[in-house]
Every structure is written in C-alpha cells, then in structure tokens.
Amino acid sequence: MPFTYDRTIRFHETDAAGVVYFTNVLVICHEAYEASLIASGVNAGTFFRSGDAAMPIVHASVEFFKPMYCGDRVSIQLLSKQVNDSTFEICYEILGNASDRAPQTLESDNTARLVGKALTRHVCIAPQTQTRTMLSSQLINWLRQTGSTL
Amino acid sequence: MPFTYDRTIRFHETDAAGVVYFTNVLVICHEAYEASLIASGVNAGTFFRSGDAAMPIVHASVEFFKPMYCGDRVSIQLLSKQVNDSTFEICYEILGNASDRAPQTLESDNTARLVGKALTRHVCIAPQTQTRTMLSSQLINWLRQTGSTL
Amino acid sequence: MPFTYDRTIRFHETDAAGVVYFTNVLVICHEAYEASLIASGVNAGTFFRSGDAAMPIVHASVEFFKPMYCGDRVSIQLLSKQVNDSTFEICYEILGNASDRAPQTLESDNTARLVGKALTRHVCIAPQTQTRTMLSSQLINWLRQTGSTL
Amino acid sequence: MPFTYDRTIRFHETDAAGVVYFTNVLVICHEAYEASLIASGVNAGTFFRSGDAAMPIVHASVEFFKPMYCGDRVSIQLLSKQVNDSTFEICYEILGNASDRAPQTLESDNTARLVGKALTRHVCIAPQTQTRTMLSSQLINWLRQTGSTL
C-alpha cells in the first residue's frame, strides 16, 4: 500500500564521520515524494515551479536509529495523509537492506531493518495572496493512491 | 547569551520554487553549531572525525514560517541544553534581517523577524562498543558557554 | 561499451533560476562512476574510505549545452581511460531524454540529445607517504570493463 | 585588485574520505562570485532569478593541489574577465590559511598556500529567444571592479 522508493547511498551524501550527513536523509525522503508524484502522473517539472499554487514544507522531522554508509541500499516507504483542506503530511520509513559492504543477510523483519523515520508537513499556498488554498484534485488523487484523504 | 551566527543565503541553497530548499535550513543551523564549537576552542577538524567518541544526531526537526531568498541575511541564534550524561539538544531560531532584495527595514522585534525554528539532539557514542558514553569536558564547557548543563 | 547510468533530476538539484545548479551535474557524473564501480564488483563503502590508497580527483571540468529541469530523465555515458601507472580519467556524456515535462519525442540522435559533457582525473595516493602509487588490480579490471588501460 | 572571499570549510562539505567533496570547491567559488556581485551593488535575489536576462554557466573547471578539511579557513581570490559582448569568465584561486587543526603558521607565500584553482564561463541569454544578448551595464560595472572589460 505505501509507495516504495529504492536508492543507493552516494559518496557525496556522506561526511567526514564516514556516514550519511543527517540532512541528506530528508533529501532522500523528498526524492521518494517526487518519485511518488511522478508515478501518480504528476509533472514534477511544473509541479514544483509554483504557478497557481505553491506547496511549501512547513515542518519536517527525522529520527536516526542506525548510520548509513556509501554504497548502502535503502528503501523509503512513504505513507501520505491529508490533514485538512490545505494540508497533508508524509511519513517515511527508511529501511536498510543488503548493503554491498556487509554480509548479504537480507533481514525480513522491517523493524530490524529500520534505520530512520521522517515526517514532512506540506501546505498549499496561493502565491498572489500568500494565503492557504485547497489542495488540487491532482493532489487528492495522489493522496488516495499513497495514503488517505479526509 | 545564546550564540549568534550570521549568514547570507547563497544561490545553491535555493530551489526551482525560488526559495531556500527545506533541508538547507538545517544545514545552516549545523554551521552555527560548528561556529559555536570553534568559538569555544574546539578543533572542528578532529571533533567531527570521531576518534574516541562520535556525536551523531539522533533527532532533528525544523519549522518554517516565512520563505528565504538568495541574498537574504539571516541570523541563527543557538541555545544548547544538556539532557543527560550522554545527550544534549540545540534549539535554533532563524531570524530574517534586512535582506538586500527588500527595503532596508531592520525590524527590531525578533518575533516579527522569526523565519524558522529548529532543534537537533546529539548523543555521544563510543565507536568501538557503539554504546552511549559521557559527554567530554570540552562539550560540558561548550554547553556552559552556549546554554545550560545539568 | 561505455557504462550507462540513468537518473531522474530531483528538486533539490535545481536552483532559483529553475534549472539544475551547475555543480550538481558533476555530482551526478560521480554517481555514474560509483555505479560503474559497484557494477564491476567494487565495494563502494570501503573503496572511498581510503585505507591503503586514496583516489582523489585532481581535475574536473564540465560543459553545459542545454539546461536540465526537475523531473527530466538523463543518461550518463561514462568512458574511462588509464593515463599512467597512477592516474586515470573519465569522460561523461550527459544525454537528455524523454522528460516528463515535454512531448515524448525520444530523439534517436545522441548529438541532439547531448545536454552536457564532463571529465574527471583521478590519482592514486598512498595516504601515509602522500605520494602517487600504482592503481590497484581492482581498478585496472574496472578500466578494462569501462574503457581502456595502457 | 581581485575580490577576496573568506570562508570556513563546513562539515557538510566533507565526504567519507575526510576531505572536501570535489564539487563543493566550485560551490564555494560561486559563493565568492555572489559576494562580489553584492559588494558591487547587485541585488542577488533578483539577479539570479532571471527576468530579462539569464546568466548560465556554460563551462567550469577546477584543479586540486591539496585536500581541505572541516574547520579550515580558505580565501577565494576572484578575478573576472570579459570575453566578448555576451560572455565573461572568472578565475578563482583558493588559498589555504591558518586552519584551526594545524599549528598557526600563516604562510606568506600565495604559491605555498594555493590549494586549488577554478574557472567558470558565463553567457548572457535572453530567456524569450534563448539567444545570446549583451552583458548589462551592471555587469560591465562589476567587471571593471573585479577584473577587466574589453
């Protein structure tokens, strides 16, 4: 049911401590959001350029349970939820997988594989008036496919 | 009393919606943390390379009240707080200022200038055992200067 | 014969001018290099952490022919070449493809699809002595698969 | 005569090899360009958003002589040069300085301090027609201050 986005951790996402720099986990979560929009038929090129409506993130949080390394394979499981007429949230579970640096033990239990969790809250804004406006039918459709509407 | 870090928003921090990409606000907050460590006498080059102790971020959150644009001047006000023997948190207030794109109205009221808030939680880990360990005296000293200890 | 790496342009790679920020094209090229190493059996997690040998980039250049937008599909074609005992270069051709923002006209001609070109030069260094050392047999093997050796 | 931009290397700019990720040196050079525009009276917020004219980078190159570490102080020396009616180039010299990780030996000789060099070429484009157009008087003024005009 939730949308899944697979990704290899890249070198530029790591830092001198040898692991993924903390904000890059949120970047990867946003990539999962973009991939889910594209899978739902949304044109990412125009969606984010904010003509009629902008969709800024007003809140984000992230928790880290285990470090991630260059070359690791991760799966992002994305679950969306409409909050009100103009707002939705996305929950992300970041699952570690068979990395190429470790013995290839594919853990079947998601809890054991959970390396992080994140949440983003998005509000629909009319650019001219800078006031909240209703989510488009395109977004309501995407919410139905990747989570739940009101 | 809180540590202040001033910064100009750079072009690479913006996205195609014309404003700062959301995770870059957390990057700038981490820069303020680094600047406060250096001001406190910590050697940033070795501190983050995790010899005897690693200091991973286990939680981060951020809220956005107003967009930030390329060329904007922002001030990060950082306030630290020890949570327990191995953990501390940092609160960040991001204040907008007289940007070079707007009439130079220096708002005196911090509430009016508040464009975002963030929080990071840091835990001290012994790399060999991957277990929590006590904050160093260097960090206790930094906590005294930039916030509060237990 | 050259290694091909396909990629969707992501929102965080764009800037306020609405297109991919220039250095991110080199980031994507380096991702193609990482993917080719992994495909060749190299462990990316340990390769870049530089135990016995570091492989710093000593030169990089990039040319841009057309802008890239969020949601665009690009293909990186990578061709490696050994220069001497301790040095190799990689040429990258970045090909635009059927983007989701444009009419789906899959151009068959690579020249018409060429949106950029890049080159990186890599030198093998012994960390202790900071002097040049010979490319490993693992890298010679990768050069044979993705380009040419001496 | 050349414009100088001082900067501390930040943790997010490093990678798992412990040094600055190669493309971030070009990011820092672009920051120096932005700082020189602002110093020359240009409004960075509107300049890069490309209303009447866009200024894309069509070529960039960078060479690395020494690694840079988190906490290092670097100076970017920027020198601009008009190439023709619609084109200019910028040369950057990246000088290492008294880092906080090393004995405070301020080297007086720029050659000894040189850790990298870079070059960017910029072309002025009319967005509507996507053809080259003349550099604005604002840019000619900036070229006079930071380098040379035709």
Side-chain angles (χ1 to χ4, degrees):
Chain A
M1 176 58 64
F3 183 82
T4 298
Y5 177 68
D6 290 332
R7 182 71 150 60
T8 301
I9 299 296
R10 298 301 180 190
F11 187 48
H12 69 93
E13 298 171 320
T14 61
D15 59 34
V19 299
V20 171
Y21 183 72
F22 78 114
T23 67
N24 287 335
V25 175
L26 284 169
V27 171
I28 295 170
C29 288
H30 198 278
E31 285 191 15
Y33 165 46
E34 294 170 49
S36 74
L37 286 169
I38 291 172
S40 165
V42 173
N43 181 324
T46 53
F47 181 82
F48 288 106
R49 300 210 53 182
S50 67
D52 296 338
M55 292 294 314
I57 289 173
V58 294
H59 171 82
S61 63
V62 59
E63 284 179 87
F64 304 96
F65 307 127
K66 294 176 189 167
M68 285 165 256
Y69 300 89
C70 180
D72 280 9
R73 292 289 301 169
V74 295
S75 276
I76 313 296
Q77 295 199 344
L78 171 163
L79 197 61
S80 69
K81 189 180 82 172
Q82 188 178 359
V83 174
N84 58 43
D85 276 5
S86 60
T87 309
F88 66 88
E89 287 183 350
I90 310 175
C91 289
Y92 312 85
E93 292 198 334
I94 303 113
L95 304 177
N97 209 319
S99 97
D100 65 1
R101 86 203 140 77
Q104 302 291 328
T105 52
L106 257 168
E107 297 170 78
S108 55
D109 179 2
N110 271 13
T111 308
R113 289 174 58 205
L114 198 64
V115 296
K117 283 174 94 164
L119 183 140
T120 52
R121 190 178 306 130
H122 307 242
V123 173
C124 193
I125 299 282
Q128 283 78 11
T129 57
Q130 286 287 313
T131 54
R132 296 185 174 212
T133 185
M134 283 178 67
L135 299 172
S136 67
S137 58
Q138 196 180 39
L139 271 168
I140 297 292
N141 179 47
W142 169 80
L143 285 161
R144 276 201 197 98
Q145 289 173 21
T146 58
S148 58
T149 54
L150 284 184
Chain B
M1 177 56 67
F3 183 83
T4 297
Y5 176 69
D6 290 332
R7 182 71 150 61
T8 301
I9 298 296
R10 298 301 179 190
F11 186 48
H12 69 93
E13 298 172 320
T14 62
D15 58 36
V19 299
V20 171
Y21 183 71
F22 79 114
T23 68
N24 287 334
V25 175
L26 284 170
V27 171
I28 295 170
C29 288
H30 199 278
E31 286 190 15
Y33 166 45
E34 294 171 50
S36 74
L37 286 170
I38 291 172
S40 165
V42 173
N43 181 322
T46 54
F47 181 82
F48 288 107
R49 300 210 53 183
S50 68
D52 296 338
M55 293 293 313
I57 289 172
V58 293
H59 171 83
S61 64
V62 58
E63 284 179 88
F64 304 96
F65 307 125
K66 293 176 190 167
M68 286 165 254
Y69 300 90
C70 181
D72 279 8
R73 292 288 302 169
V74 294
S75 276
I76 314 296
Q77 294 198 346
L78 171 164
L79 196 62
S80 68
K81 188 180 82 172
Q82 189 178 359
V83 174
N84 59 42
D85 276 5
S86 59
T87 309
F88 66 88
E89 287 183 351
I90 309 174
C91 289
Y92 311 85
E93 292 199 334
I94 303 113
L95 304 177
N97 209 320
S99 96
D100 65 2
R101 86 204 138 77
Q104 303 290 329
T105 53
L106 257 168
E107 296 169 79
S108 55
D109 180 0
N110 272 13
T111 308
R113 289 174 59 205
L114 198 64
V115 296
K117 283 174 94 164
L119 183 138
T120 51
R121 189 179 306 130
H122 307 243
V123 173
C124 193
I125 299 282
Q128 283 79 11
T129 57
Q130 286 288 312
T131 53
R132 297 186 173 211
T133 186
M134 283 177 66
L135 300 172
S136 67
S137 58
Q138 196 178 40
L139 272 168
I140 296 293
N141 179 47
W142 169 80
L143 285 161
R144 275 200 199 99
Q145 289 175 20
T146 59
S148 58
T149 54
L150 285 183
Chain C
M1 175 58 65
F3 183 82
T4 297
Y5 177 69
D6 290 332
R7 184 68 150 63
T8 302
I9 299 297
R10 299 300 180 190
F11 187 48
H12 69 93
E13 297 172 319
T14 61
D15 58 35
V19 300
V20 171
Y21 183 73
F22 78 115
T23 68
N24 288 334
V25 175
L26 284 170
V27 171
I28 295 170
C29 288
H30 198 278
E31 286 191 14
Y33 165 45
E34 295 171 49
S36 74
L37 286 169
I38 291 172
S40 165
V42 173
N43 181 323
T46 54
F47 180 83
F48 289 107
R49 300 209 55 181
S50 68
D52 296 339
M55 293 293 314
I57 289 171
V58 293
H59 171 82
S61 64
V62 58
E63 283 179 89
F64 304 95
F65 307 127
K66 294 177 189 167
M68 286 165 255
Y69 300 89
C70 181
D72 279 9
R73 291 289 302 169
V74 294
S75 276
I76 313 295
Q77 295 198 346
L78 171 162
L79 196 62
S80 68
K81 188 180 82 171
Q82 189 179 358
V83 175
N84 58 43
D85 276 5
S86 59
T87 309
F88 66 89
E89 288 184 350
I90 309 175
C91 289
Y92 311 85
E93 292 199 334
I94 303 112
L95 304 176
N97 208 320
S99 96
D100 65 1
R101 84 203 142 76
Q104 304 290 326
T105 53
L106 257 168
E107 297 170 78
S108 55
D109 180 0
N110 272 13
T111 308
R113 290 174 59 204
L114 199 63
V115 296
K117 282 173 96 165
L119 182 139
T120 51
R121 190 179 306 131
H122 307 242
V123 173
C124 193
I125 299 281
Q128 283 78 13
T129 57
Q130 286 288 312
T131 54
R132 296 187 173 210
T133 185
M134 283 177 66
L135 299 172
S136 68
S137 58
Q138 196 179 39
L139 272 168
I140 297 292
N141 179 48
W142 168 80
L143 284 161
R144 276 201 199 97
Q145 288 175 20
T146 58
S148 58
T149 54
L150 285 184
Chain D
M1 176 58 64
F3 183 82
T4 297
Y5 177 67
D6 290 331
R7 184 66 151 63
T8 301
I9 299 296
R10 297 301 180 190
F11 187 49
H12 69 93
E13 297 172 320
T14 61
D15 58 35
V19 299
V20 171
Y21 183 73
F22 78 115
T23 66
N24 288 334
V25 175
L26 283 169
V27 171
I28 294 170
C29 288
H30 199 278
E31 285 190 17
Y33 166 46
E34 295 170 49
S36 74
L37 286 169
I38 292 173
S40 165
V42 173
N43 182 324
T46 55
F47 180 83
F48 288 107
R49 300 211 52 184
S50 69
D52 296 338
M55 292 293 315
I57 289 171
V58 293
H59 171 82
S61 63
V62 58
E63 283 179 88
F64 304 96
F65 307 127
K66 293 176 190 169
M68 286 164 255
Y69 300 89
C70 180
D72 280 9
R73 292 289 303 169
V74 294
S75 275
I76 314 296
Q77 295 199 345
L78 171 163
L79 197 62
S80 69
K81 188 180 81 172
Q82 188 178 358
V83 174
N84 58 43
D85 276 6
S86 60
T87 309
F88 66 88
E89 287 184 350
I90 310 175
C91 289
Y92 312 85
E93 292 198 334
I94 303 113
L95 305 177
N97 209 320
S99 96
D100 66 0
R101 85 203 140 76
Q104 303 290 328
T105 53
L106 257 169
E107 298 170 77
S108 55
D109 179 1
N110 271 13
T111 308
R113 289 174 58 205
L114 198 63
V115 296
K117 283 174 95 165
L119 182 139
T120 52
R121 191 179 305 128
H122 308 242
V123 173
C124 193
I125 299 282
Q128 283 79 11
T129 58
Q130 285 289 312
T131 53
R132 297 185 173 212
T133 186
M134 283 178 67
L135 299 172
S136 68
S137 59
Q138 195 179 40
L139 272 167
I140 297 293
N141 180 47
W142 168 81
L143 284 161
R144 276 201 199 97
Q145 288 175 20
T146 58
S148 58
T149 54
L150 285 183

